[in-house]
Amino acid sequence: MTDYDYDIGIIGGGAAGLTVASGAAQLGAKTLLVEKEPALGGDCLHYGCVPSKTLIRSAHVYHQIKNAQRFGLPKVDLPPVDFSQIARRIADVIDVIQKHDSEERFCKLGARVQFGNARFKDDHAVDLDGRTVSAKTWVVATGSSPARPPIPGLEAVDTLTNRELFSLPQLPGSLIVLGGGPIGIEMAQAFNRLGAGVTVVDRADQILGKEDPDMAEAVQAVMESEGVNFYLGASVESLSEAGGRKTVALIKKEGSPISLTADAVLVAMGRAVNVDGLNLEAAGVTYERSGIVVNARLRTSQKHIYAAGDVSGGYQFTHAAGYEGGVVVSNAVFRLPRKVDYTWLPWCTYTDPELASIGMNERAAAAAGIETRIWTEAFADNDRGLAEGQTEGRIKLILDKKEKPLGVQILGPRAGDLISEWVAALNGGVKLSTLAAAIHPYPTLGEISKRVTGSVFSPKIFSETVQKGLKFFFNLKGRACTPEVCEGGSLMAEDE
Ligand SMILES: Cc1cc2nc3c(=O)[nH]c(=O)nc-3n(C[C@H](O)[C@H](O)[C@H](O)COP(=O)(O)OP(=O)(O)OC[C@H]3O[C@@H](n4cnc5c(N)ncnc54)[C@H](O)[C@@H]3O)c2cc1C
């Protein structure tokens, strides 16, 4: 039997790779984790979720102070934002989290961490900056990078991506965001709130293209009311730069050319999977432009090589990467066959209001040819939403015609947290009637979930048939007041 240096080797120290490394090492596998950057943590920690949510928080606080009068507070004249202070706060937050993802921590768990660029020599051996290491099983978890579409001028102009955005020395006066997906939209709102004049460009007619149009349009309406400009249905023709100002030439669908100029351009036009330089051909691993090809057990075309996280091109979220890492540990270390199941995978776009989803939305159900019943409840009718001054948005519960839940979307304050109740309910197969009957604390935003499930049952419970039955069995007398009485103004007279 061939003797390899390691039982399992993992390429990439982001959410997926770290999950595999920690699980495999704690289960007693001799584990190697390879990372090309000088620190572990991957995109999420250094250039993604953590810095973006920290920035969003700063922008939210600044926005709240600017709008203090809405809360009955005195008007505040705020000085402009010093972005270097926000960048420092972002770096501080990253530093704290970095400790959880340190080399020492993984060493304590039993995994060896090596920093360097990994490149396959064959299906068991990898070149690590001139050294060869071998492993019985490999996991490719190299993540993704900002996509660079072949647009004339894009490479010549000094543009920003999520790698530069969070450490800018100063706030750009104006910013063009290319791409209306979650990253572009979150950053557009945050930078606009901080004081940059922001314009979003997308070739689609709708921002947040995976979401239902009504929910995405509601997000856009809020952003427009805050001053963000949108050019949708517009394709980017070219970029150029003169005197430090950047110009983006667009063509709208109907053919009209438009030229936009700003201090900075953020490229957020999708993600490209990190396969370049891995020499996957030498390992016999098949990949496409969209990602490494994997089966439901996350095995690649080589049975002993797995791929997890963004690089496999599926759901590109940190929690999806972590989940897939766990599936790899089951299959590769435990040898318990486990398949991925994304039925109840939630996600959230952290705009204000947030837009969170789980399961199918109306668009996905229609594409699958499933007939739906839709139930909604507005935050404008939620007492806590009113108290908080956050009445924008609603919950949308999507049922099939047998009233089986297909999915839930929440557009509203803390939607990303509110969706967790649905994560538990849907994964646990909790009945809607249980959720409707469960006592929720008052006044909370979470009551909206109880209310929407309640609305599924109230037409049945308070139906004429039930009323007739109760009248018959218990001799109830029926209505004490009718709308005609109230509207006719004779209510007082009747009472007297
Ligand atoms: C701005 C932004 C905001 C985001 N916000 C959210 C959010 O709020 N919630 C959410 O769930 N997701 C969010 N994401 C997505 C999330 O960051 C990714 O889905 C997640 O990081 C994927 O994890 P991963 O392990 O697959 O890849 P990564 O975290 O990218 O890790 C891959 C690692 O592999 C290393 N690597 C690559 N090639 C090699 C090589 N040849 N040799 C050695 N090492 C290599 C890389 O350096 C990297 O550290 C956001 C992304 C961005 C860009």
Side-chain angles (χ1 to χ4, degrees), residues 11-17 34-37 39 41-44 47-49 52-53 116-118 141-144 162 166 183 186 271 274 278 308-311 316-319 321 348 350:
I11 307 174
V34 182
E35 170 54 54
K36 72 172 181 174
E37 296 272 339
D43 237 28
C44 178
Y47 311 108
C49 334
S52 62
K53 269 75 252 181
N117 231 311
T142 48
S144 66
N162 62 296
F166 305 110
I183 296 172
E186 285 182 5
R271 308 285 299 170
N274 292 336
L278 281 173
D310 281 13
V311 76
Q316 293 182 319
F317 302 112
T318 295
H319 47 282
C348 183
Y350 297 89

Side-chain angles (χ1 to χ4, degrees), residues 10-19 33-53 56 114-120 126-129 140-146 161-163 165-166 182-184 186-187 266 268 271 274-279 308-312 315-322 324 346-350:
I10 302 139
I11 307 174
L18 293 175
T19 307
L33 175 62
V34 182
E35 170 54 54
K36 72 172 181 174
E37 296 272 339
L40 298 176
D43 237 28
C44 178
L45 176 57
H46 299 283
Y47 311 108
C49 334
V50 172
S52 62
K53 269 75 252 181
I56 285 170
Q114 295 217 327
F115 291 98
N117 231 311
R119 182 179 167 83
F120 280 102
V126 157
D127 174 88
L128 198 53
D129 294 337
V140 183
T142 48
S144 66
S145 302
T161 68
N162 62 296
R163 286 186 78 94
L165 197 63
F166 305 110
I183 296 172
E186 285 182 5
M187 292 303 96
L266 169 66
R271 308 285 299 170
N274 292 336
V275 289
D276 286 353
L278 281 173
N279 200 18
D310 281 13
V311 76
S312 57
Y315 290 94
Q316 293 182 319
F317 302 112
T318 295
H319 47 282
E324 290 168 4
W347 68 87
C348 183
T349 301
Y350 297 89

